[in-house]
């Protein structure tokens, strides 16, 4: 399922089953040892998906640790993203030579649990198209799709600019071609105003699931190197 949202040089793998018996690397076992059975199964299965993607890239499986905020720490030379929801796990991996970052998210194709949650995770312009599409195409939980798209955007941006808030991205969904656009407000350097950039992503609603993906491609090198990635020059998804 996830591979339908990805294109070269990004590869993905997913699973509808739990890989509880799959062995972890010793470094990962340190994290997983105190986990309850269900949480350990998710931790293990999602890493099994990531290692399947590594093999597709022609690389040996390697451990995937966790950062201070719980984010995956990828082996040197790789970037990727992982996600899971009830009965579904997915991962995408690519060489960091070509791809800056990836964001994936999977959610059940069901309305947000609490109607009061939507105003907390959306902007007024987003709620307008959510309401319209819920009337026209009720087979898709558009409020949940909005939430998923923001999650993918934030996961992709996190390694580059740190955490973002729900009001830092304005999402617009195209219900016809399975794409979405994001206008993202990025934190500026100390003492300077924030700036914005535009990203694009893809979405899929099928088999009771909503899955979204954002890929930030590395810009073509210039003669004068920049000290850090400039998201304003990133091609959101190709």
């Amino acid at each position: 399922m996830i591979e339908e949202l990805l294109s070269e040089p990004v590869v993905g793998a997913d699973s509808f089953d739990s890989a509880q018996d799959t062995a972890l690397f010793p470094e990962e076992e340190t994290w997983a040892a105190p986990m309850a059975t269900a949480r350990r199964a998710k931790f293990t299965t999602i890493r099994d998906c990531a290692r399947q993607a590594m093999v597709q890239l022609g690389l040996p499986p390697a451990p995937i640790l966790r950062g201070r905020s719980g984010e995956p720490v990828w082996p040197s030379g790789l970037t990727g993203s992982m996600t899971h929801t009830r009965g579904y796990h997915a991962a995408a991996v690519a060489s960091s030579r070509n791809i800056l970052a990836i964001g994936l998210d999977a959610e059940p194709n069901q309305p947000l649990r609490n109607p009061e949650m939507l105003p907390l995770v959306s902007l007024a312009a987003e709620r307008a198209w959510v309401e319209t599409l819920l009337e026209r195409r009720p087979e898709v939980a558009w409020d949940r799709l909005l939430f998923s798209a923001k999650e993918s955007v934030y996961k992709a941006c996190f390694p580059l600019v740190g955490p973002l808030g729900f009001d830092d991205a304005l999402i617009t969904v195209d219900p016809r071609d399975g794409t979405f656009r994001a206008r993202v407000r990025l934190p500026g350097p100390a003492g300077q105003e924030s700036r914005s950039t535009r990203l694009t992503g893809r979405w899929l609603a099928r088999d009771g699931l909503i899955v979204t993906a954002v890929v930030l491609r590395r810009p073509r090198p210039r003669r004068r190197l920049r000290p850090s990635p400039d998201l304003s020059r990133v091609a959101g998804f190709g």
Side-chain angles (χ1 to χ4, degrees):
M1 189 172 181
I2 191 62
E3 66 273 7
E4 297 180 41
L5 300 182
L6 305 171
S7 59
E8 293 184 355
V10 182
V11 298
D14 54 15
S15 174
F16 290 89
D17 298 317
S18 179
Q20 298 185 44
D21 298 330
T22 300
L24 294 171
F25 282 82
E27 305 96 312
E28 297 170 330
E29 188 62 47
T30 301
W31 289 97
M35 293 181 180
T37 301
R39 186 181 177 192
R40 179 186 175 92
K42 295 176 182 178
F43 183 91
T44 301
T45 304
I46 203 170
R47 278 160 176 76
D48 184 60
C49 290
R51 285 191 263 276
Q52 291 179 44
M54 291 179 193
V55 171
Q56 292 183 54
L57 285 176
L59 300 172
I64 304 164
L65 304 183
R66 301 177 67 185
R68 293 182 178 179
S69 299
E71 76 280 8
V73 177
W74 296 93
S76 177
L78 291 180
T79 188
S81 184
M82 304 188 294
T83 186
H84 64 80
T85 188
R86 294 194 299 261
Y88 182 75
H89 310 77
V93 178
S95 167
S96 56
R97 292 194 305 264
N98 305 309
I99 302 299
L100 279 171
I102 304 171
L104 299 183
D105 187 68
E107 303 284 338
N109 188 9
Q110 299 173 1
L112 294 171
R113 295 180 182 179
N114 188 338
E116 296 179 356
M117 184 177 179
L118 182 60
L120 300 178
V121 301
S122 65
L123 301 171
E126 296 168 331
R127 293 192 290 276
W129 64 254
V130 165
E131 293 175 3
T132 298
L133 290 176
L134 283 174
E135 293 181 359
R136 295 178 180 177
R137 291 185 55 184
E139 71 276 11
V140 177
W142 297 102
D143 54 345
R144 183 79 73 153
L145 175 56
L146 169 63
F147 177 83
S148 182
K150 289 204 174 191
E151 284 291 304
S152 285
V153 169
Y154 298 157
K155 285 183 179 181
C157 291
F158 181 84
L160 306 176
V161 298
L164 298 175
F166 280 106
D167 59 348
D168 287 325
L170 173 64
I171 305 292
T172 305
V173 167
D174 190 324
R176 299 163 299 177
D177 65 1
T179 64
F180 64 88
R181 297 175 181 271
R183 189 175 69 199
V184 185
R185 184 175 60 191
L186 303 173
Q192 297 185 24
E193 295 183 358
S194 61
R195 52 201 173 94
S196 65
T197 190
R198 295 180 184 272
L199 308 177
T200 57
R202 292 178 180 174
W203 65 270
L204 179 65
R206 196 176 66 208
D207 299 331
L209 295 169
I210 290 172
V211 184
T212 58
V214 173
V215 175
L216 303 183
R217 294 179 177 270
R218 188 173 293 278
R220 294 179 180 179
R222 291 181 173 179
R223 293 180 180 178
R224 184 177 181 182
L225 297 178
R226 293 177 179 271
S228 60
D230 182 359
L231 281 182
S232 67
R233 297 180 53 232
V234 169
F237 201 110

